[in-house]
Amino acid sequence: MTANTPDIKLHDVASSQISRIGYDPGMSRLRVQFKQKGLPGPVYEYQNVDIEQYRAFYDSPSKGKHFAQHFKGNERHPHRKIG
């Protein structure tokens, strides 16, 4: 992480596409670590995510489906690759 990027603790999740997720409520930012060839891969950060959106994602039975429906390509949640 860079000096300007706060550390967000990532939690393992059961998913075929996503390895870990984390949330910073003070900054309303979601971090998602995707799987790459079955192993932990790149981490992306999504902005403007409120706590209810994070909880719904964390609690969803299909993390990949939920991500695709609510975050992927959503202009309300600009994203960037971390590290």
Side-chain angles (χ1 to χ4, degrees):
M1 306 301 152
T2 66
N4 295 332
T5 305
D7 192 27
I8 297 174
K9 183 176 180 176
L10 298 177
H11 305 277
D12 291 340
V13 294
S15 171
S16 61
Q17 299 176 28
I18 296 169
S19 179
R20 303 183 306 158
I21 65 174
Y23 183 68
D24 178 351
M27 303 274 299
S28 299
R29 292 192 179 168
L30 167 70
R31 284 210 182 138
V32 179
Q33 182 173 31
F34 293 93
K35 289 184 178 177
Q36 191 169 13
K37 297 181 181 178
L39 300 171
V43 176
Y44 288 83
E45 184 174 89
Y46 296 82
Q47 299 177 18
N48 308 321
V49 177
D50 63 43
I51 189 69
E52 290 82 14
Q53 291 171 309
Y54 171 71
R55 286 183 181 147
F57 181 37
Y58 187 85
D59 292 338
S60 73
S62 175
K63 304 294 185 279
K65 244 185 219 182
H66 188 94
F67 176 82
Q69 291 174 345
H70 299 279
F71 299 107
K72 186 176 183 180
N74 188 326
E75 293 176 4
R76 292 181 304 183
H77 305 296
H79 68 280
R80 65 185 178 123
K81 189 174 184 178
I82 303 292

